[in-house]
Amino acid sequence: MEKNYRAELTGVFGDPVDGNPTGVMEEAAYRALGLNYRYLTMRVAAGDLAAAFAGAKAVGMAGLNLTMPHKQTIVPLLDGLTDAAERIGAVNTVFRDGSRWIGENTDGKGFVRALKLAGTDPAGARVTILGAGGAARAIGVECALAGAAAITVVNRSEAHGRALAEQIAGRTPASAVWQPWDGLAVIPAGTDILIQATSVGLHPHGEELPDVQLDTITPEMVVCDVVFNPVRPRFLQEAAARGAKTVTGIGMLVQQGALNFELWTGRRAPADVMYDALAREFGAQEDARGDHH
Ligand code: NDP
């Protein structure tokens, strides 16, 4: 049989993108399954997206991730969107369906998968989300689609906060409200799942805390953070100190990466391999593993 030297290409377009760690876990997964796939981390400026995407099609790439500033501007270039991407209004993953290029959003699905693997089901839950940016949007919509009963969006900017609450209430079966955030936020009593979805606490500011009245976190709550570097930002440490169960952002990162892998290769992703590759990269503590199994 003739040998096939042609690699299947995947990768990410973004700007800035140099610090994006996704390639580490995707390449580890490709190697683990012996697939001749590559994942390239590519800096594509905002004005170059159409040309770069035309190039991706011309060389027959197998799939792509999109990060800032391309998550919305890619939409008109695509042949279709999944239901979730349509409701979230942003795309982080593009895959091929025959000759069609379809946009999906795996951030929120990855979050819900990681949450369930950590033993918490959002069905019926009262969820409070800090932040209303891209990550909060994907998480809020997917938690609602996974059956969350009510969602409170706590956000500084009224426009962003209201827009997300309206988006969830209008496009999913969950109820949703915006709670203003000036000064120390009080976490609503009765919250089952609290999600820190702002960029506060991101490396190199791992010691920074969002403005939250920490004593309103109770042992009944499951507290999640989207920040994955450091693996245990101070907010999660403070939540754990108040008896809450915590879920780290690395689980979400791994699970959204695993969903991408499955869309591009049609194979089940080796999530353990992907987790270990990232944990090595960030020098993660073993104790963070618990929430990905
Ligand atoms: P965006 O820029 O879209 O949104 C940032 C949000 O954080 C906004 O709602 C903003 O509020 C809020 N915010 C920023 N600073 C503060 C502050 N000091 N106090 C209160 N609120 C603040 O970012 P993304 O949503 O794309 O990313 C957010 C984080 O999620 C990043 O750390 C990113 O690395 C992480 N992430 C993790 C993923 C994972 O797989 N674990 C996947 C995707 C993202 P306002 O609206 O008022 O400006």
Side-chain angles (χ1 to χ4, degrees):
M1 199 171 69
E2 236 178 85
K3 199 154 167 86
N4 179 3
Y5 293 102
R6 183 176 59 81
E8 295 288 351
L9 298 180
T10 61
V12 57
F13 289 167
D15 188 18
V17 80
D18 295 12
N20 189 310
T22 304
V24 171
M25 65 174 166
E26 300 293 358
E27 292 249 329
Y30 296 150
R31 273 195 304 275
L33 269 65
L35 297 174
N36 189 16
Y37 272 62
R38 300 286 184 282
Y39 188 100
L40 306 171
T41 303
M42 293 170 270
R43 183 146 60 99
V44 174
D48 290 332
L49 179 64
F53 187 54
K57 287 174 156 175
V59 299
M61 286 187 75
L64 274 173
N65 281 138
L66 286 307
T67 187
M68 301 305 287
H70 306 308
K71 286 186 167 190
Q72 282 159 334
T73 43
I74 189 75
V75 170
L77 304 176
L78 298 172
D79 300 310
L81 295 180
T82 63
D83 181 52
E86 184 95 50
R87 289 186 213 238
I88 295 165
V91 162
N92 77 331
T93 302
V94 171
F95 64 95
R96 287 169 54 179
D97 176 13
S99 61
R100 300 178 73 230
W101 291 73
I102 309 296
E104 164 67 299
N105 194 312
T106 55
D107 279 337
K109 283 194 180 79
F111 174 84
V112 169
R113 229 198 215 194
L115 189 65
K116 287 183 174 171
L117 285 169
T120 299
D121 195 325
R126 285 155 298 179
V127 175
T128 299
I129 303 178
L130 306 176
R137 235 178 31 231
I139 289 170
V141 168
E142 291 290 355
C143 282
L145 293 177
I151 298 186
T152 303
V153 177
V154 181
N155 198 56
R156 293 180 311 191
S157 136
E158 175 170 357
H160 296 160
R162 275 194 195 285
L164 177 53
E166 280 166 18
Q167 187 176 355
I168 294 169
R171 298 189 197 176
T172 78
S175 69
V177 293
W178 166 67
Q179 174 178 312
W181 190 357
D182 46 11
L184 285 181
V186 169
I187 305 307
T191 295
D192 300 305
I193 303 172
L194 169 62
I195 305 156
Q196 197 305 106
T198 76
S199 38
V200 176
L202 185 60
H203 178 79
H205 307 291
E207 283 302 305
E208 277 180 14
L209 282 170
D211 290 331
V212 168
Q213 203 164 309
L214 293 170
D215 289 331
T216 57
I217 297 176
T218 65
E220 293 74 38
M221 293 179 190
V222 175
V223 180
C224 317
D225 206 315
V226 295
V227 169
F228 52 80
N229 184 18
V231 172
R232 283 198 180 275
R234 195 166 146 218
F235 184 64
L236 284 190
Q237 297 175 23
E238 297 286 350
R242 282 158 184 80
K245 177 179 165 181
T246 60
V247 179
T248 64
I250 200 167
M252 169 181 177
L253 184 63
V254 168
Q255 295 305 331
Q256 64 85 27
L259 289 164
N260 300 339
F261 181 97
E262 287 161 12
L263 287 171
W264 300 333
T265 66
R267 304 277 294 270
R268 193 179 157 77
D272 284 356
V273 169
M274 299 171 85
Y275 180 92
D276 288 342
L278 277 182
R280 265 196 307 280
E281 198 65 19
F282 302 140
Q285 306 288 314
E286 273 302 299
D287 67 347
R289 261 195 97 96
D291 51 47
H292 122 93
H293 286 289

